Amino acid sequence: GAVVSQHPSWVICKSGTSVKIECRSLDFQATTMFWYRQFPKQSLMLMATSNEGSKATYEQGVEKDKFLINHASLTLSTLTVTSAHPEDSSFYICSASFSGGGNEKLFFGSGTQLSVL
Amino acid sequence: AQSVTQLGSHVSVSEGALVLLRCNYSSSVPPYLFWYVQYPNQGLQLLLKYTSAATLVKGINGFEAEYKKSETSFHLTKPSAHMSDAAEYFCAVNTGGFKTIFGAGTRLFVKA
């Protein structure tokens, strides 16, 4: 089946530094990728929708300059948390959308736990 | 380790019929359970969640799910399907930490 690889799975960084998270579709081309964040015991919160070759569409309340999303190719999207602060500590998960045979299928990365000290 | 199994990658029902989407999980600690829906070209939307309160959880759009600890299940139901319910549905489990595990998804088709 289709695989979405998300890296790193765990990152600890100092406050004020930037962290990049990668999301790759390994065996299919993903025209659309979604980025979510989640706090413990809470549901996912959609941060942005990313389409290859165009600017990401951010959800209301998500800072574009804080969470930089780049979808440079059909197999790679990156989320960069800039000038990270402890309140950015969260679980970030990506999903990639594959369209084929008239149906769209969503596949999830394994997530990245970010801890900002 | 946590895991989620959604039985049936595709489910087809007639409009007005009962919708039943199955989800079984494994978890070593009491879980938090979620059902999400994804419409084409959109991100996930939360349908409902179980967080150790009432075992029967009501969500949006007439959906509900029942947590059955003895069966480790959290099946999603709706009494009467509507054409607009056609979408992909994902069951997910979180054990209070950061990580959430998703099922593979079930695509619901609704026939007129």
Side-chain angles (χ1 to χ4, degrees), chain B residues 34-92:
Chain B
F34 305 84
W35 273 101
Y36 294 92
V37 61
Q38 189 227 355
Y39 298 102
N41 302 314
Q42 297 183 27
L44 293 179
Q45 293 179 33
L46 178 68
L47 272 179
L48 49 82
K49 62 180 179 181
Y50 167 76
T51 56
S52 77
T55 56
L56 182 62
V57 182
K58 294 186 183 298
I60 62 171
N61 301 337
F63 284 94
E64 61 182 36
E66 186 173 9
Y67 169 63
K68 292 187 177 180
K69 183 179 178 180
S70 61
E71 299 177 7
T72 62
S73 69
F74 191 56
H75 302 330
L76 181 70
T77 60
K78 181 173 180 177
S80 177
H82 192 272
M83 295 297 288
S84 60
D85 295 326
E88 182 119 21
Y89 293 80
F90 293 89
C91 181

Side-chain angles (χ1 to χ4, degrees), chain A residues 43-55:
Chain A
S43 60
L44 293 184
M45 181 187 78
L46 178 65
M47 299 175 68
T49 302
S50 166
N51 291 295
E52 184 267 338
S54 61
K55 290 183 179 180

Side-chain angles (χ1 to χ4, degrees), chain A residues 44 91 93 108-109, chain B residues 4 6 36 44 90-93 100-105:
Chain A
L44 293 184
F91 185 70
I93 190 166
F108 292 92
Chain B
V4 179
Q6 289 184 239
Y36 294 92
L44 293 179
F90 293 89
C91 181
V93 61
T100 288
I101 304 295
F102 286 86

Side-chain angles (χ1 to χ4, degrees), chain A residues 11-17 19 66 81 83-90 92 113-117:
Chain A
V11 58
I12 300 173
C13 70
K14 293 182 179 179
S15 186
T17 61
V19 174
K66 174 78 173 171
V81 183
S83 186
H85 290 282
E87 58 265 29
D88 298 324
S89 298
S90 184
Y92 295 86
Q113 183 175 335
L114 171 64
S115 296
V116 184
L117 304 178

Side-chain angles (χ1 to χ4, degrees), chain B residues 1-5 23-34 50 67-74 92-97 99-101:
Chain B
Q2 311 161 53
S3 68
V4 179
T5 302
C23 173
N24 288 87
Y25 68 92
S26 68
S27 175
S28 56
V29 299
Y32 294 84
L33 298 162
F34 305 84
Y50 167 76
Y67 169 63
K68 292 187 177 180
K69 183 179 178 180
S70 61
E71 299 177 7
T72 62
S73 69
F74 191 56
V93 61
N94 173 276
T95 54
K99 193 168 178 67
T100 288
I101 304 295

